[in-house]
Amino acid sequence: MRFEALAKSHNRESVRIEELEKRSDLFAKNVFNNSKMLQFLTNEAYSKVQAAIFSGNKIDRKIADQVAEGMKAWALSMGATHYTHWFQPLTGATAEKHDAFFDLMPDGRGIEKFGGGQLVQQEPDASSFPSGGIRNTFEARGYTAWDPTSPAFIYKTTLCIPTIFVSYTGEALDNKAPLLRALHAVDEAATGVAQYFDKNVRKVHATLGWEQEYFLIDKALAQSRPDILMTGRTLVGSSAAKGQQLDDHYFGVIPNRVLSFMSALEKQCMLLGIPVKTRHNEVAPNQFELAPVFEEANLSVDHNLLLMDVMDEIADKHGFKVLFHEKPFAGINGSGKHNNWSLATDTGVNLLSPGSTPMKNLQFLTFFINTIKAVDTYEELLRSSIASASNDHRLGANEAPPAIFSIFVGKQLSDVLDDLEGVSKGKLSPEEKTELKLNVVGKIPEILLDNTDRNRTSPFAFTGNKFEMRGVGSKMNCAKPMTVLNTIVAKQLVDFKKEVDALIDKKNLKKDEAVFNVLREYIKTSKRIRFDGDGYSKDWDTEARKRKLSNNKNTPKAIQVLTSKDSLALFEATKVMNDKELVAHQEVELDNYIFHLQIESSILNELVYNYIVPATLKYQNLLLENIAGLKDVYGAAHKKLTEPQLNILEKMAEHMVAAKKLADLMTQAKIKSDKATSIAKKAQSYCDDVKPYLDQIREHADALEQLVADELWPLTKYRELLFTK
């Protein structure tokens, strides 16, 4: 199968893509956006939808019917035949159930039908999706409800309506509902603080720009590897002689087949309103990246999930398999999904970007320092939001941020914070105000202009006008880290406003004096989270312990914090998730972790018994035949001639025996782990007692790959997977 796959891959040609239309002409053609709503909705319906988007107002049934009628008319004019509620269950992927725009009249005639009821809510059952024990069998129904803040779109011949997914009793069973609540919380909190500086601000949007890294592997080669098909990564495989050490792939010329894939992908993205802008080769062979223009966070999350679905389909048409796994190949870089986050007002101001006046710069410092304080307070919770079985392989590896959360702001901004830390308590003298406004706050724009040094090992870095969260895994739903980040910032801004208002009301301080006083204390109390050094060094591990920063290196430990007293209080105070939902989400995460390791261990067992051992035995038999033949011809003199063969035989036997023994021990460890009395203990047992065998078995399997004749090795090798263009 390996050699048939290689022949197929070598004979592939690029799919020709003609790009005749400008990107701007294609953009959002298949999206029911503002321009389409103005065309297909009544003025009343349009204004109600806008009010729902901007203020969260409910849409009544009469208006919903009007919107549905307009949406149906547009969808039918675009050739759509079906509609679906497009949602994000706790699987990490998307889900959909298609219904036709069709119904029967009482007289038996057919009619295209789609009303407000079908638009606003559906009951897709969906009882088999993960729920973390939140649903009983007798109330296993799930409901999807329309999210008007993310526009409907047409993909192929289906109208897709973004929705939340909730249980019979109203708890969130998805990743979108908590995200929407978190975005609402940060909107209210940030708006209140932004009005210190501009009374005209009525709404604050969290913005997100993700950077999607991925591998492209020839489809035939991927299909020849059971581990890639079942787990998304290679469980065995000896490193190729050449990897990424020459840095010749990074930003290099994009191969023709890949460029055709990218062109087709970008065209589809334009039609779907996904504003992709950047594409390039990444560091590892056959690794690439694309990135869009930043958008409102909820829409950006939807677009990233849609993008991954579209990538899978277009890759298949071009003879590729997309690998989103965070670490599909050992020994070379894995893939992440950097999340670039900021806050923007409805007046067009980026709250994490300094301005032309000291007051605007004080506004910047307010949101900048509050974000640092939020991350310091909840660093362990933020770490939990990027935890997964697959991301565990990447975090802390040489190309990715460590599992310890810290913030990098650069020397220049650190100096500014140090200056602000020395602000007098209480009222400021005229000289101190002048010093602050002219020499500290006023110079921030110039400081940032020259602040180009970036620490690529930092999990959370300020990069000019936004914070970049680098630990997010490449196949992860961005909703998870964005829910946590926006929640903790919302809580922090609420606390900040209470403290500032108290100083203004009770201490008679002026607004800017009160702001400076509170920020000074935050700078002092959050100092431990700021770190500009190398996140890979052992010194940082030691230093992090001194600073009392968490270092949860695996998923079972990382997600324990979800149900801690502080976490429960945080999510309850911000109304993002209740206790029941948090417990359910934690249970789903633990289940997913266990299932991933169960699948990987089962596939590795299969590889050992059905692929590696038979190939090794076959080569051993060939060597034995050779040794016997030489003995027949040369008699006792054959010993010198057969020494290399005997040496290889012994090495193969050692590694084969070890691999088989470890595979059997791994099976026993799984049986023992399955007897754990709680899901948390079971997940930790799989982590501690089962997972180590994966690497131990791999060591012997990779040694056998080096010993067995190439023509007999059944599994496609790294040099073929990574260097077939």
Side-chain angles (χ1 to χ4, degrees):
M1 191 171 181
R2 171 189 164 204
F3 293 106
E4 288 176 4
L6 284 168
K8 282 183 183 178
S9 65
H10 286 307
N11 290 328
R12 290 199 204 277
E13 295 182 0
S14 299
V15 178
R16 183 176 173 80
I17 302 294
E18 291 189 11
E19 297 197 42
L20 302 176
E21 296 179 83
K22 291 189 298 184
R23 297 294 171 93
S24 56
D25 291 336
L26 288 172
F27 188 69
K29 269 191 172 182
N30 292 356
V31 181
F32 195 63
N33 55 15
N34 263 350
S35 63
K36 311 296 192 319
M37 284 193 279
L38 283 168
Q39 183 181 353
F40 285 88
L41 298 186
T42 63
N43 289 337
E44 182 186 21
Y46 176 78
S47 63
K48 293 290 186 182
V49 172
Q50 292 304 307
I53 293 170
F54 189 85
S55 305
N57 295 353
K58 290 188 177 180
I59 296 175
D60 62 36
R61 181 58 181 267
K62 175 189 169 187
I63 297 300
D65 284 336
Q66 291 182 29
V67 175
E69 191 59 38
M71 199 180 282
K72 181 188 75 174
W74 170 73
L76 292 175
S77 74
M78 296 290 290
T81 59
H82 289 69
Y83 66 92
T84 183
H85 277 201
W86 186 77
F87 59 103
Q88 306 171 23
L90 297 177
T91 58
T94 61
E96 53 197 61
K97 182 191 78 169
H98 297 194
D99 285 303
F101 290 115
F102 178 78
D103 208 345
L104 285 176
M105 299 284 283
D107 60 5
R109 285 181 297 133
I111 185 175
E112 273 74 34
K113 187 176 180 182
F114 180 64
Q118 288 84 17
L119 168 65
V120 172
Q121 181 178 305
Q122 277 195 324
E123 185 184 330
D125 181 30
S127 55
S128 294
F129 283 121
S131 69
I134 219 167
R135 291 185 289 175
N136 296 315
T137 304
F138 67 88
E139 51 186 30
R141 287 173 290 177
Y143 296 94
T144 50
W146 177 36
D147 170 20
T149 63
S150 184
F153 58 90
I154 291 174
Y155 187 50
K156 300 179 184 175
T157 59
T158 302
L159 172 69
C160 300
I161 303 159
T163 62
I164 63 169
F165 180 44
V166 296
S167 73
Y168 177 74
T169 48
E171 285 88 5
L173 293 170
D174 68 347
N175 290 300
K176 180 185 267 280
L179 174 64
L180 290 174
R181 296 172 192 161
L183 294 175
H184 176 69
V186 82
D187 170 20
E188 287 194 331
T191 299
V193 174
Q195 286 177 348
Y196 282 145
F197 309 97
D198 182 358
K199 294 294 184 184
N200 295 316
V201 174
R202 292 290 176 268
K203 190 172 183 63
V204 173
H205 298 281
T207 62
L208 169 64
W210 36 262
E211 303 166 24
Q212 181 69 60
E213 294 177 337
Y214 61 98
F215 282 84
L216 269 186
I217 306 301
D218 187 89
K219 181 170 65 173
L221 299 183
Q223 288 173 340
S224 72
R225 293 281 310 226
D227 47 357
I228 291 179
L229 287 182
M230 294 291 105
T231 72
R233 75 179 182 108
T234 53
L235 297 175
V236 297
S238 182
S239 296
K242 179 190 175 193
Q244 62 190 49
Q245 60 267 51
L246 298 179
D247 293 326
D248 52 343
H249 188 259
Y250 191 49
F251 279 24
V253 176
I254 299 173
N256 287 335
R257 277 184 66 198
V258 176
L259 193 58
S260 294
F261 158 80
M262 288 179 170
S263 297
L265 173 64
E266 289 168 3
K267 182 176 181 179
Q268 188 62 249
C269 285
M270 287 296 108
L271 291 170
L272 292 167
I274 307 172
V276 292
K277 185 176 177 68
T278 303
R279 65 190 187 197
H280 63 83
N281 290 4
E282 255 300 333
V283 175
N286 276 349
Q287 186 187 31
F288 307 93
E289 179 182 301
L290 82 161
V293 178
F294 72 88
E295 301 177 280
E296 185 276 324
N298 177 45
L299 181 58
S300 185
V301 167
D302 282 359
H303 278 166
N304 182 251
L305 289 168
L306 178 58
L307 171 94
M308 291 194 286
D309 289 341
V310 173
M311 286 177 75
D312 277 332
E313 182 177 349
I314 291 179
D316 188 67
K317 291 178 180 177
H318 286 252
F320 286 120
K321 171 73 175 174
V322 183
L323 301 184
F324 291 115
H325 194 287
E326 285 79 1
K327 195 75 173 178
F329 301 101
I332 60 173
N333 277 18
S335 298
K337 181 151 49 190
H338 296 182
N339 277 204
N340 295 280
W341 171 89
S342 190
L343 295 170
T345 69
D346 59 330
T347 57
V349 175
N350 178 355
L351 294 172
L352 286 174
S353 183
S356 55
T357 67
M359 183 56 73
K360 289 181 179 177
N361 292 332
L362 182 56
Q363 175 179 266
F364 157 73
L365 283 170
T366 296
F367 286 92
F368 176 69
I369 294 168
N370 270 284
T371 302
I372 293 173
K373 176 64 174 171
V375 174
D376 175 65
T377 305
Y378 295 104
E379 49 88 16
E380 192 171 13
L381 186 62
L382 206 55
R383 161 67 181 98
S384 76
S385 73
I386 57 172
S388 71
S390 53
N391 210 21
D392 280 356
H393 294 286
R394 171 178 165 265
L395 293 177
N398 286 341
E399 80 286 351
I404 305 166
F405 247 81
S406 64
I407 296 179
F408 169 79
V409 299
K411 184 180 183 306
Q412 294 89 339
L413 277 175
S414 286
D415 291 343
V416 170
L417 296 181
D418 290 342
D419 287 338
L420 290 174
E421 191 178 343
V423 172
S424 299
K425 192 171 184 179
K427 293 186 178 181
L428 307 178
S429 67
E431 294 79 14
E432 193 170 23
K433 282 189 176 183
T434 302
E435 170 70 17
L436 280 172
K437 290 182 178 178
L438 294 181
N439 296 328
V440 180
V441 178
K443 290 186 177 180
I444 288 174
E446 291 94 344
I447 288 171
L448 288 183
L449 193 65
D450 299 324
N451 184 21
T452 55
D453 55 328
R454 294 187 181 185
N455 184 341
R456 303 308 295 178
T457 68
S458 174
F460 202 85
F462 185 72
T463 56
N465 59 2
K466 61 189 182 300
F467 280 100
E468 185 176 4
M469 191 171 173
R470 297 198 181 111
V472 183
S474 52
K475 73 174 183 178
M476 190 170 286
N477 185 339
C478 298
K480 290 166 60 180
M482 284 298 102
T483 296
V484 172
L485 179 57
N486 285 289
T487 299
I488 65 176
V489 171
K491 178 66 166 62
Q492 177 55 48
L493 289 172
V494 168
D495 293 345
F496 170 77
K497 191 171 188 306
K498 286 178 182 176
E499 291 185 53
V500 170
D501 288 346
L503 289 178
I504 294 171
D505 296 339
K506 297 177 182 178
K507 300 290 185 181
N508 275 335
L509 294 185
K510 292 182 179 179
K511 180 176 63 180
D512 56 348
E513 289 176 329
V515 168
F516 274 125
N517 269 261
V518 177
L519 292 181
R520 179 196 63 230
E521 294 307 310
Y522 287 174
I523 292 168
K524 290 179 180 178
T525 56
S526 64
K527 212 166 185 177
R528 66 167 191 158
I529 201 73
R530 285 159 41 203
F531 177 67
D532 292 350
D534 181 4
Y536 301 144
S537 69
K538 291 181 180 178
D539 292 340
W540 171 227
D541 275 17
T542 304
E543 178 64 21
R545 281 196 294 274
K546 289 180 183 176
R547 298 187 186 198
K548 296 183 179 179
L549 293 171
S550 66
N551 187 8
N552 296 321
K553 294 185 177 181
N554 57 64
T555 293
K557 287 190 183 299
I559 62 176
Q560 283 179 7
V561 72
L562 271 179
T563 51
S564 71
K565 183 180 177 181
D566 288 344
S567 296
L568 294 171
L570 164 73
F571 285 106
E572 187 67 34
T574 53
K575 299 179 180 178
V576 172
M577 281 195 277
N578 60 34
D579 296 5
K580 194 174 180 182
E581 289 170 325
L582 280 168
V583 170
H585 278 243
Q586 184 183 58
E587 186 170 320
V588 169
E589 295 289 342
L590 290 170
D591 265 336
N592 284 338
Y593 183 84
I594 293 165
F595 294 150
H596 272 88
L597 286 181
Q598 286 176 339
I599 293 167
E600 288 191 349
S601 55
S602 295
I603 288 297
L604 186 53
N605 249 335
E606 183 181 332
L607 292 178
V608 169
Y609 276 95
N610 295 9
Y611 289 77
I612 294 167
V613 168
T616 304
L617 291 173
K618 188 178 289 187
Y619 190 47
Q620 281 182 326
N621 288 335
L622 285 176
L623 290 175
L624 288 170
E625 288 178 18
N626 177 259
I627 292 167
L630 288 171
K631 184 178 181 181
D632 287 344
V633 174
Y634 292 100
H638 84 283
K639 291 183 179 179
K640 289 183 180 180
L641 299 175
T642 57
E643 186 178 340
Q645 295 93 312
L646 289 168
N647 183 261
I648 293 171
L649 273 172
E650 289 173 9
K651 286 183 177 179
M652 285 195 297
E654 289 172 5
H655 288 299
M656 184 171 63
V657 168
K660 180 189 175 300
K661 183 178 180 180
L662 288 167
D664 293 341
L665 288 172
M666 181 173 65
T667 299
Q668 293 172 23
K670 286 170 64 178
I671 294 170
K672 182 181 177 182
S673 295
D674 287 335
K675 294 178 181 177
T677 54
S678 72
I679 191 167
K681 289 180 180 178
K682 184 176 178 180
Q684 196 62 58
S685 180
Y686 262 89
C687 178
D688 297 337
D689 304 327
V690 178
K691 185 181 176 184
Y693 284 114
L694 297 175
D695 289 335
Q696 293 171 26
I697 294 168
R698 179 183 192 131
E699 184 181 338
H700 295 288
D702 292 355
L704 287 168
E705 182 183 328
Q706 294 289 314
L707 293 168
V708 173
D710 182 73
E711 64 182 14
L712 298 180
W713 193 253
L715 298 169
T716 307
K717 296 188 174 184
Y718 267 33
R719 69 168 184 269
E720 297 154 353
L721 291 165
L722 293 170
F723 291 95
T724 300
K725 302 299 181 185

